[in-house]
Amino acid sequence: MQNRQMQHLMKGAVILSIASFIAKVLSAIYRVPFQNMVGNTGFYVYQQVYPIYGIGMTFALSGFPVYISKLVAEQVDPEKRMQLLRRTFVLLGIFGGGVFIYLQNQAPRIAATMADPALTPLIKMVSFMFLLMPFLAVTRGYFQGLFNMLPTAISQVAEQLVRVIVILVAAWLSLKCHWSVYKMGMWAMSGAFFGGLVATGILLRSAATTCQFKAPQQTKLDFKAYRQLARRLVIEGGSICLFASLIVLLQLVDSFTVKKGLVLGGLSENLAKNMKGIFDRGQPLVQLGLVVSLSFSSTLVPSLSQARQRHQHHQFQQVATALIHISLGLSAAATIGLIGLMPQINYFLFGDTDGNLALVWYMLSIIMIALINACNSVLQSLDQFHKTTVALIGGLLVKILINQWLVQHYDIMGASVGTVISLGVVLALILRQSPTVVIQALDLRRFIGKLSFICSIMWFGVKMVMWLVPQSLSSRGHALLGTALGVLVGMFVFGGLALHWQLFSIREWLTMPGGRQLLRLSKKIKGRTE
């Protein structure tokens, strides 16, 4: 029974990983034609307000659903489970409506703080998606709590697809109708609401066919129960939401400080907007680098909670170790690969190598965020929410305090360094407070040592490919060829050495998508060479 549940859970992790990968690919790919159509300044306008959308959708699609899934997994009685979901819906409805009203009223002040009052209509437009938060969060949390990841996966891809279509249509119309970059940005931001609306329809339809969300009975309103649940949502659910939106929160700080810092550093308004647009190129690359690790983090939280609740200490240790090893290993490979390929990737996606050094520094955030989220998932499964929240707030405060000064003196590279430093603070605080299960999973002497050596060889292999394909920066086609060859070599070297030196255990390989096939292939190769 336990093995069957674990297999079902791993299947759900694979489904959600594939959906997340598709969504992140869409999120990264649309930025190429979008940036080419609207330029760096148009990209800056969109990216200035994007963190508000990112925070809202992270709360609705990742943060609150993970916590709600934890509550659902802990609740055995179906009637009490439905009652819990109804109360959660009411509380999130109040929260989402409050954020909507706040953004509508305070949009001019927020835009002025960003040093660009023309952003006001974009902020007002993106606020509408917060009205969909209770529908998205409660239904996704319900399905994930029952380890049914398919509705979540379908809604995630649909939301991203609709949003991308709206954004690209807005960019195309801005060229045809000669819109300003701000009018274009406003209509591009409407994709957040329309995408969320489609995802809501898919989830509600799935909920109607797979379960019975009965209407609440006419009973006395239990204010005490609402108050207790609200407290848990704020303290525990809020902590998960903050960590799920960690990178977007850091980008929000950038929205308020990077352009200001560039202007204070001596750049003109237009050049500062252009440079901020170049800096924002790093976001889709970081998203792609994090896709697998974050998918596993969000999917394995219910199983960690169940193992702890049932006092299955050995299973808890195994799942926690697999989560940390896979998150750290795959994110490290993605980080080193992107750093090695950065000139080619930058040229292929955006047509030049502007801001290359800043983007290289920014890629270091991939491995740090992956490890932070993995450790945080373990700690939250142990109900240690206070410690992780303090660590995150500490890192954000560091980013707020140093970012504008760094940008003023070191341009956009300063913003990248500020992000890495703030993430380092968060990680250090979390590891300092982590229990033995996390420290044992890291296994500095065995796992970290092997991973570092494998990544070093991989980086050298990728650089050899770049050296053998020197024409890769002469055109986008050549850059694509160099990038593709580098990716293939990097995957081959990392996968081969990870198998040969047993970086991951057999259980961990079986957890990963395609891991079983790699183990079979490795066994065949060893059999032929012996």
Side-chain angles (χ1 to χ4, degrees):
M1 179 67 69
Q2 181 176 321
N3 290 334
R4 185 181 304 172
Q5 181 180 351
M6 180 60 69
Q7 290 175 358
H8 186 54
L9 178 66
M10 292 304 113
K11 182 179 179 181
V14 171
I15 292 174
L16 198 57
S17 295
I18 293 173
S20 296
F21 180 76
I22 295 172
K24 297 304 181 185
V25 167
L26 287 171
S27 181
I29 287 179
Y30 86 82
R31 283 173 165 82
V32 178
F34 180 70
Q35 190 267 352
N36 289 333
M37 284 189 281
V38 303
N40 287 331
T41 303
F43 199 45
Y44 146 82
V45 168
Y46 176 78
Q47 289 293 132
Q48 281 292 94
V49 181
Y50 175 85
I52 299 176
Y53 155 80
I55 291 171
M57 291 311 289
T58 302
F59 277 32
L61 300 183
S62 301
F64 280 124
V66 170
Y67 180 65
I68 294 170
S69 72
K70 179 176 179 291
L71 296 178
V72 170
E74 293 173 351
Q75 189 57 255
V76 179
D77 188 341
E79 180 58 34
K80 290 183 178 180
R81 183 187 294 156
M82 289 300 117
Q83 192 176 50
L84 175 70
L85 291 173
R86 287 194 293 267
R87 289 171 179 165
T88 305
F89 180 85
V90 172
L91 292 173
L92 290 183
I94 295 172
F95 174 68
V99 174
F100 168 77
I101 294 171
Y102 174 81
L103 290 176
Q104 285 288 321
N105 291 331
Q106 298 298 318
R109 182 175 296 181
I110 295 171
T113 308
M114 290 181 176
D116 196 344
L119 294 171
T120 298
L122 282 80
I123 297 172
K124 288 186 175 181
M125 178 62 77
V126 79
S127 67
F128 283 94
M129 53 82 55
F130 283 91
L131 297 176
L132 302 173
M133 179 181 293
F135 299 96
L136 293 168
V138 172
T139 50
R140 284 174 66 106
Y142 172 79
F143 287 122
Q144 288 176 211
L146 299 180
F147 308 113
N148 181 8
M149 305 300 172
L150 192 58
T152 288
I154 295 174
S155 66
Q156 185 172 1
V157 173
E159 186 272 334
Q160 195 67 243
L161 183 61
V162 172
R163 188 175 72 91
V164 166
I165 291 173
V166 172
I167 290 170
L168 293 181
V169 169
W172 179 77
L173 287 175
S174 71
L175 292 177
K176 293 294 182 181
C177 304
H178 305 289
W179 290 351
S180 70
V181 289
Y182 294 97
K183 183 177 180 179
M184 175 279 304
M186 184 187 70
W187 284 105
M189 274 298 158
S190 70
F193 176 75
F194 291 116
L197 199 62
V198 170
T200 299
I202 293 172
L203 288 166
L204 289 179
R205 183 177 180 183
S206 298
T209 56
T210 60
C211 62
Q212 293 294 325
F213 283 100
K214 299 178 182 178
Q217 300 176 356
Q218 298 297 323
T219 57
K220 184 179 179 180
L221 194 61
D222 192 343
F223 287 104
K224 183 179 180 181
Y226 273 99
R227 188 165 56 249
Q228 291 175 344
L229 180 59
R231 185 175 182 274
R232 292 191 68 184
L233 280 173
V234 171
I235 297 175
E236 301 176 18
S239 177
I240 294 177
C241 287
L242 286 175
F243 272 91
S245 57
L246 174 58
I247 189 64
V248 188
L249 288 170
L250 296 176
Q251 290 166 1
L252 185 62
V253 176
D254 288 325
S255 293
F256 286 102
T257 57
V258 171
K259 178 178 173 287
K260 281 184 181 179
L262 291 171
V263 172
L264 290 173
L267 298 184
S268 66
E269 286 281 330
N270 290 333
L271 187 55
K273 293 177 182 179
N274 184 74
M275 290 295 290
K276 176 59 165 59
I278 293 173
F279 171 74
D280 287 327
R281 296 176 181 183
Q283 181 189 344
L285 300 176
V286 170
Q287 287 179 328
L288 284 174
L290 287 169
V291 57
V292 175
S293 62
L294 293 188
S295 296
F296 273 93
S297 295
S298 62
T299 308
L300 293 177
V301 168
S303 67
L304 287 170
S305 299
Q306 281 194 346
R308 187 210 173 195
Q309 191 177 23
R310 296 172 182 176
H311 305 289
Q312 298 170 335
H313 302 295
H314 182 64
Q315 183 181 354
F316 185 92
Q317 177 73 54
Q318 285 183 329
V319 176
T321 301
L323 171 60
I324 292 175
H325 281 186
I326 293 171
S327 297
L328 182 57
L330 298 184
S331 64
T335 299
I336 300 304
L338 286 170
I339 288 175
L341 293 169
M342 183 50 63
Q344 286 71 22
I345 291 178
N346 197 11
Y347 194 94
F348 163 60
L349 292 178
F350 304 105
D352 56 52
T353 57
D354 293 344
N356 190 66
L357 185 58
L359 295 178
V360 166
W361 273 95
Y362 199 45
M363 293 306 102
L364 294 174
S365 62
I366 294 174
I367 186 171
M368 302 181 77
I369 294 173
L371 184 54
I372 287 170
N373 277 280
C375 294
N376 180 58
S377 296
V378 177
L379 290 172
Q380 288 183 343
S381 298
L382 296 170
D383 294 328
Q384 297 185 15
F385 295 91
H386 175 72
K387 296 177 180 179
T388 57
T389 303
V390 169
L392 183 141
I393 293 174
L396 283 177
L397 287 175
V398 170
K399 174 76 170 175
I400 293 170
L401 291 173
I402 69 175
N403 206 61
Q404 187 167 304
W405 184 89
L406 286 171
V407 173
Q408 185 176 345
H409 290 82
Y410 301 103
D411 293 331
I412 57 176
M413 189 181 75
S416 296
V417 173
T419 296
V420 173
I421 292 174
S422 61
L423 290 172
V425 171
V426 176
L427 182 58
L429 290 174
I430 288 179
L431 290 178
R432 185 178 180 182
Q433 304 174 89
S434 294
T436 306
V437 63
V438 174
I439 305 303
Q440 288 179 345
L442 286 173
D443 193 358
L444 293 176
R445 187 170 57 181
R446 192 192 74 86
F447 184 79
I448 300 296
K450 286 184 179 180
L451 178 62
S452 300
F453 192 60
I454 290 171
C455 286
S456 299
I457 297 176
M458 185 189 76
W459 181 86
F460 181 77
V462 169
K463 281 301 182 183
M464 285 294 295
V465 173
M466 298 301 99
W467 181 74
L468 293 172
V469 191
Q471 75 277 16
S472 59
L473 293 180
S474 60
S475 70
R476 279 190 164 178
H478 289 146
L480 173 60
L481 175 62
T483 300
L485 290 174
V487 169
L488 289 175
V489 169
M491 290 175 60
F492 177 80
V493 172
F494 182 86
L497 293 179
L499 283 166
H500 180 71
W501 284 327
Q502 298 178 349
L503 178 66
F504 302 109
S505 67
I506 294 178
R507 181 186 296 271
E508 290 165 356
W509 277 113
L510 294 176
T511 299
M512 287 184 276
R516 187 181 300 273
Q517 289 73 20
L518 284 174
L519 287 174
R520 289 176 180 172
L521 179 61
S522 175
K523 190 175 181 180
K524 287 182 180 179
I525 294 174
K526 287 183 179 179
R528 291 177 180 176
T529 55
E530 290 177 356

